[in-house]
Amino acid sequence: MPDLPPEIWCTVALYLPNDALKELYAVNRAFFDLAMNERYREVSFRKINESVMRQIEALRSPSIACRVHSLRFVPGFLPGLSANLNEVVSPERRRMPHLSNLSSISRRITHRFTKNRSRGRKDESDPVCLTQLADGLMDVLPLMLNVRDLRLSWDSFSDVHSPPLDLAWSTFGPNLQSLTLSMSTTKFLSMFPLSRSPLPCLRLFSVEICARGYADDRNMGGELLSAEIALAGFVSSLSGSLEHLTVSCCPPEYLSVFYKHVLPLKSLSSLTFDMASLGRQYSETSTSSGLNGFLRQQEGTLRHLEISASVSENPRWSSYRFSFHDLQLSSLRSLSVTADILSSSWDDSFAFLRNHVQLESLSINQPLAPSEIYRILDVLNHHHPSAALVELSLSMYNLDVRVLDKLASDLRRLRSLKVKISKVSCGTTYAITPSQHFPHDTVSGKVYPFVNEMKLHASFERWELKDITIRRRSCCADLLLWGLMSLCAQCIPSITSFAGNGDKAVPAEPQATHKRCFQVLCSYGTDHTLW
């Protein structure tokens, strides 16, 4: 093995897959450090079992703990650990050891029949194991000095005290750059405000409020209202550093109180939120002033905006539709939105797109009809001298040559196009579901008319498109249509890349059956129509 400087080995490692890098720890010292960094870069605490105990024992070494940059507590871990630990060490149970023994025996019998536990394996709910796990966790958290990304999930509505959670805030808070929270309203109210744990470096904050079910609307409303106010206060305290904010609620609710109470965030450049249903206790005017007022106060800073739509399952609540009415975001460069939101008021949506020709990227989720695509291109096209759109992502039911011709004519300077389709269609015969090899998988020897129509449009010759991605849904995952992308590259000379890969190389075996399908008979990649 040549004696190269560590910097060169680090450069070589950049081109290796993560799995391959982990296997090269024995090559030399440089690869050992790189492999160890990759192995412990992200640490997740999932289940309360012996595997976590072994993980904690490894993290007791400061040389290993300092390699952790991302720490995640999955749903159920902290609530389960805290609840079981409190149950184990409670004074009542100390005074009744025979009940503890009976509970332990009961748990062992249950696990034996439900989880097929192996003989001689220690029970993962054993009180001694829980105590050791909690103590070990308290020991290793202060050693993780380089954690910059923290992901916490607390799905329990019982407010159980959790010392590891308090220690995580105080340990990671000063250096934390990314925080993801998914917590019940009960835990939000007990945890915020974080007076003892300032987060001066936090740049990315993603939050999901887990509200109670619709069976108890009265209790849910007051608790959720208080949680929104507490969350707004916390987000407002991040004004100096926060750049990316993601907000959602489960089950879907409209968080109008949160938007009303958040103060201006002077560094916020990216916002993602879910436009959910609206309760009857709020009026249309009040909701618009809440969210739209928040967007207007961020007019000078917002560059990326992503809006999704969810419909409440509560039958007594009405559905609220977001509108772009009178909304002006002068700094906006990227917009991702669902077709439902655009179609709720096409006039307001068209007016917004017409006034935001500075958009460089537009992504529309959910399928659009050809007529809707034409109307969008009528207001957002390169005929306007100031139009800046270079990236476009669309979803449509049928891919037709006329749609591509319209895109080539109206968006001549487009650089990247992503299209999600269901079928390929033409004007002379029925639509077909393409395979990943289409149009080279014909069985009749005839060419599908779509192929010949692609060669008849002069607009493709003038198109400046560089990268194209075409996919469709197939059973359990999206399927990349390599053959269709190759056909586009033959007719559009400017294309130099497929699916963002930087080249037009097509894999020898494009895509195999998806391995995580929950269907009995997976049809991934085989649910196509042969012409």
Side-chain angles (χ1 to χ4, degrees):
M1 181 64 62
D3 186 15
L4 299 177
E7 293 78 10
I8 295 181
W9 287 119
C10 291
T11 303
V12 173
L14 294 176
Y15 296 91
L16 296 176
N18 294 339
D19 293 339
L21 186 60
K22 293 177 182 179
E23 300 297 328
L24 298 178
Y25 65 93
V27 174
N28 54 31
R29 181 66 185 178
F31 270 116
F32 174 80
D33 286 335
L34 292 172
M36 293 294 287
N37 288 340
E38 189 61 37
R39 180 177 180 180
Y40 289 100
R41 183 182 305 277
E42 298 182 5
V43 171
S44 297
F45 292 116
R46 301 181 180 276
K47 295 182 179 180
I48 304 176
N49 54 21
E50 294 180 357
S51 176
V52 172
M53 287 296 300
R54 291 192 295 269
Q55 192 176 33
I56 290 177
E57 289 302 317
L59 292 171
R60 288 183 182 275
S61 170
S63 62
I64 293 180
C66 68
R67 302 177 190 269
V68 180
H69 290 266
S70 177
L71 181 61
R72 180 188 181 194
F73 293 96
V74 302
F77 182 84
L78 283 177
L81 175 62
S82 302
N84 290 331
L85 191 61
N86 289 341
E87 179 185 3
V88 169
V89 300
S90 63
E92 293 79 4
R93 298 186 69 84
R94 289 197 192 103
R95 290 193 295 267
M96 294 182 293
H98 60 284
L99 293 182
S100 178
N101 293 335
L102 289 176
S103 299
S104 179
I105 295 172
S106 175
R107 283 196 298 269
R108 286 190 174 96
I109 294 175
T110 302
H111 281 295
R112 179 175 181 180
F113 286 97
T114 59
K115 293 190 176 182
N116 194 22
R117 300 177 61 85
S118 59
R119 181 176 300 177
R121 181 178 175 183
K122 191 175 183 178
D123 179 37
E124 57 188 33
S125 297
D126 186 80
V128 177
C129 179
L130 285 173
T131 305
Q132 291 177 349
L133 193 151
D135 292 342
L137 196 59
M138 297 293 287
D139 290 339
V140 301
L141 286 178
L143 302 178
M144 302 181 189
L145 303 177
N146 294 316
V147 171
R148 301 294 183 267
D149 175 30
L150 180 62
R151 305 177 190 182
L152 296 174
S153 296
W154 189 286
D155 54 0
S156 172
F157 286 92
S158 59
D159 183 23
V160 182
H161 179 59
S162 178
L165 181 57
D166 297 337
L167 182 59
W169 282 124
S170 59
T171 302
F172 309 136
N175 299 317
L176 208 59
Q177 297 180 4
S178 175
L179 175 62
T180 301
L181 295 181
S182 177
M183 290 190 170
S184 65
T185 50
T186 305
K187 195 60 182 177
F188 264 107
L189 295 177
S190 67
M191 190 171 62
F192 290 109
L194 295 173
S195 57
R196 297 178 301 170
S197 304
L199 306 174
C201 302
L202 195 67
R203 298 174 54 248
L204 188 152
F205 179 47
S206 177
V207 57
E208 180 186 42
I209 300 179
C210 301
R212 296 182 186 271
Y214 295 120
D216 188 6
D217 284 347
R218 183 180 305 174
N219 188 20
M220 176 187 128
E223 200 172 60
L224 180 59
L225 178 69
S226 301
E228 290 183 63
I229 296 175
L231 178 61
F234 172 68
V235 173
S236 299
S237 69
L238 305 174
S239 174
S241 61
L242 190 62
E243 299 177 5
H244 309 277
L245 175 63
T246 300
V247 182
S248 63
C249 184
C250 181
E253 300 296 337
Y254 187 82
L255 305 176
S256 60
V257 175
F258 165 76
Y259 297 120
K260 284 184 178 180
H261 286 77
V262 176
L263 299 178
L265 306 173
K266 60 183 180 181
S267 300
L268 188 67
S269 61
S270 175
L271 174 64
T272 301
F273 64 89
D274 182 71
M275 200 62 252
S277 62
L278 167 66
R280 290 181 178 178
Q281 63 267 36
Y282 299 109
S283 64
E284 189 80 8
T285 304
S286 66
T287 56
S288 299
S289 61
L291 176 57
N292 285 19
F294 174 70
L295 292 174
R296 289 190 183 97
Q297 76 181 12
Q298 302 299 147
E299 173 186 352
T301 63
L302 270 184
R303 295 179 59 86
H304 310 283
L305 180 61
E306 182 177 349
I307 312 172
S308 57
S310 298
V311 178
S312 173
E313 297 177 358
N314 189 342
R316 299 195 297 104
W317 287 28
S318 58
S319 175
Y320 173 75
R321 300 290 186 176
F322 175 79
S323 172
F324 288 99
H325 180 67
D326 290 340
L327 192 60
Q328 183 69 37
L329 303 175
S330 57
S331 300
L332 194 65
R333 295 295 181 269
S334 172
L335 175 64
S336 177
V337 64
T338 61
D340 280 347
I341 293 177
L342 290 177
S343 61
S344 63
S345 176
W346 278 116
D347 292 338
D348 291 335
S349 300
F350 290 147
F352 179 83
L353 293 176
R354 188 181 295 108
N355 295 330
H356 289 77
V357 294
Q358 80 276 7
L359 276 177
E360 299 174 358
S361 174
L362 176 62
S363 176
I364 303 177
N365 303 311
Q366 298 176 335
L368 291 168
S371 59
E372 295 171 335
I373 297 177
Y374 296 158
R375 295 179 67 186
I376 292 175
L377 294 178
D378 287 340
V379 299
L380 191 65
N381 54 61
H382 288 162
H383 302 309
H384 193 292
S386 301
L389 191 66
V390 293
E391 296 181 3
L392 180 63
S393 178
L394 295 173
S395 179
M396 64 188 74
Y397 293 107
N398 294 343
L399 179 63
D400 189 281
V401 175
R402 289 170 294 182
V403 175
L404 291 176
D405 180 52
K406 180 69 172 177
L407 290 169
S409 301
D410 291 348
L411 296 175
R412 186 172 59 86
R413 299 190 299 275
L414 195 68
R415 299 291 180 175
S416 173
L417 176 64
K418 298 179 181 179
V419 183
K420 186 174 181 179
I421 66 173
S422 296
K423 296 178 180 293
V424 172
S425 65
C426 63
T428 58
T429 186
Y430 58 88
I432 65 171
T433 302
S435 71
Q436 55 190 341
H437 305 289
F438 173 86
H440 305 296
D441 55 356
T442 177
V443 294
S444 63
K446 299 179 180 180
V447 178
Y448 188 68
F450 174 90
V451 178
N452 294 327
E453 292 177 3
M454 283 287 295
K455 303 175 182 179
L456 302 178
H457 294 271
S459 60
F460 295 159
E461 297 288 337
R462 299 186 296 270
W463 208 0
E464 299 176 10
L465 188 66
K466 298 298 182 183
D467 182 87
I468 188 169
T469 303
I470 305 178
R471 65 180 72 232
R472 70 171 176 86
R473 188 67 182 179
S474 175
C475 188
C476 51
D478 286 346
L479 183 72
L480 282 171
L481 305 180
W482 297 100
L484 190 53
M485 289 187 284
S486 298
L487 173 63
C488 291
Q490 295 174 13
C491 303
I492 307 172
S494 60
I495 293 180
T496 58
S497 173
F498 295 155
N501 291 336
D503 55 48
K504 297 189 292 184
V506 177
E509 296 182 0
Q511 286 169 276
T513 302
H514 204 261
K515 296 181 179 180
R516 296 183 179 179
C517 184
F518 294 100
Q519 303 295 328
V520 177
L521 296 176
C522 180
S523 59
Y524 179 75
T526 62
D527 54 346
H528 53 264
T529 306
L530 294 178
W531 176 253

